[in-house]
Amino acid sequence: MMLSSASSILSISTRAASRSQQLLSCITTRQGHTTRVILTSDVSNGININNKAGEILDVKAGYARNCLIPQKLALYAIPENFDKLGIKDPTVETLEERRERILAEEEASRLNTADKDLEAANLLAKYLGNKVLKIWRNVDSKNSQRTSPGMVDQLALREKLSRQLRIDLKDEQIHISETAVRNHDDYDLSEEDLKEIMDKIETKTPCKEQIRELGSYMAKISLTGEYTVPLKFVVLKR
């Protein structure tokens, strides 16, 4: 009786060892393209990797076809088998998941863009902070303060910025103050004075201002992200 039991145990151990050897053989010799499977049993490669039932793996097609599927250790990862096992395919989004992902990506993109826009505005403001763009014009022989011929508009400013400071803008990004900055020829403006001047410069409509008098002026440069940067310029007698 004891001999019979020992024989049975030996037989079971031999079959288990044989099965492990078959799995190991399949793992070490499999080749070809890969396929996805859902494990229905725990699987070990006999070395250092243990995969649990319910895991979804990418394995060699030969390994799935010759080992995992015939030995009922896995099923092919197709919609029917996900439904059969009551497991959600992690690569398939629900409408709600897709909506949440898109919203998260859009928010991340918006924040990233806003950060870049703010950085660009701060850099330009710092660069222009201590600069005064000088524009020279002939003056009227009867009025030394009036330019003649010619005037200064946003196109003249844009071209001057491009040539003198290597800053390229579009016409619609530049808006000019209506009048000269009185009593501030050296632009020694307080933050309150600067804000008051900038607030008066309308940017919602195309700039039609044409400066025809010498003096110190301000312009507002509009950037993406609704940021604005002040520009100081002076119209001088040629």
Side-chain angles (χ1 to χ4, degrees):
M1 187 71 171
M2 290 179 62
L3 181 60
S4 177
S5 298
S7 298
S8 298
I9 294 173
L10 179 60
S11 176
I12 293 171
S13 297
T14 300
R15 290 198 300 272
S18 176
R19 182 172 180 179
S20 295
Q21 186 61 37
Q22 290 174 358
L23 285 173
L24 182 58
S25 176
C26 287
I27 293 170
T28 56
T29 62
R30 62 189 184 275
Q31 294 180 350
H33 66 277
T34 61
T35 188
R36 281 204 314 155
V37 297
I38 311 167
L39 294 183
T40 55
S41 299
D42 296 348
V43 175
S44 172
N45 68 355
I47 304 175
N48 59 2
I49 299 177
N50 295 290
N51 296 112
K52 301 297 183 181
E55 288 188 47
I56 300 153
L57 304 177
D58 287 304
V59 300
K60 296 293 185 180
Y63 179 39
R65 182 176 61 252
N66 299 323
C67 297
L68 297 178
I69 303 301
Q71 295 183 35
K72 298 184 178 180
L73 297 174
L75 295 172
Y76 286 112
I78 58 177
E80 291 82 353
N81 288 332
F82 278 109
D83 293 340
K84 178 180 179 180
L85 297 174
I87 298 175
K88 181 184 179 298
D89 185 346
T91 65
V92 177
E93 288 182 318
T94 64
L95 290 176
E96 182 62 27
E97 288 172 337
R98 183 173 185 274
R99 183 160 46 247
E100 290 178 354
R101 175 180 59 79
I102 292 174
L103 288 175
E105 290 175 350
E106 289 177 347
E107 179 65 11
S109 177
R110 185 188 66 78
L111 291 174
N112 187 43
T113 300
D115 288 342
K116 290 181 179 179
D117 291 343
L118 177 58
E119 182 180 3
N122 287 337
L123 286 173
L124 184 59
K126 184 176 181 180
Y127 179 68
L128 294 177
N130 60 352
K131 290 180 172 58
V132 178
L133 205 63
K134 295 181 179 180
I135 301 178
W136 304 87
R137 289 290 184 267
N138 293 324
V139 296
D140 191 323
S141 59
K142 297 180 180 180
N143 185 342
S144 61
Q145 288 298 307
R146 186 169 181 80
T147 63
S148 179
M151 48 78 185
V152 176
D153 58 7
Q154 84 276 22
L155 177 60
L157 278 182
R158 181 177 67 79
E159 292 176 346
K160 194 70 174 179
L161 279 169
S162 180
R163 289 198 307 269
Q164 187 170 316
L165 300 180
R166 299 295 188 270
I167 298 174
D168 295 319
L169 300 171
K170 298 178 181 178
D171 288 350
E172 59 267 24
Q173 288 182 268
I174 302 174
H175 290 78
I176 303 172
S177 59
E178 295 182 2
T179 57
V181 183
R182 304 297 180 185
N183 304 320
H184 293 291
D185 291 341
D186 57 355
Y187 286 103
D188 184 18
L189 299 170
S190 66
E191 289 188 9
E192 291 77 10
D193 291 333
L194 179 59
K195 183 178 185 306
E196 182 180 355
I197 294 171
M198 291 291 285
D199 287 344
K200 290 180 179 179
I201 301 177
E202 177 61 52
T203 60
K204 294 181 180 179
T205 58
C207 181
K208 297 181 180 180
E209 297 299 329
Q210 295 182 343
I211 295 175
R212 298 181 182 275
E213 289 187 358
L214 304 183
S216 301
Y217 294 86
M218 294 292 300
K220 181 187 289 186
I221 298 175
S222 300
L223 303 175
T224 54
E226 298 184 357
Y227 294 106
T228 59
V229 173
L231 170 67
K232 294 171 280 192
F233 70 99
V234 58
V235 182
L236 299 169
K237 178 182 178 181
R238 176 175 288 153

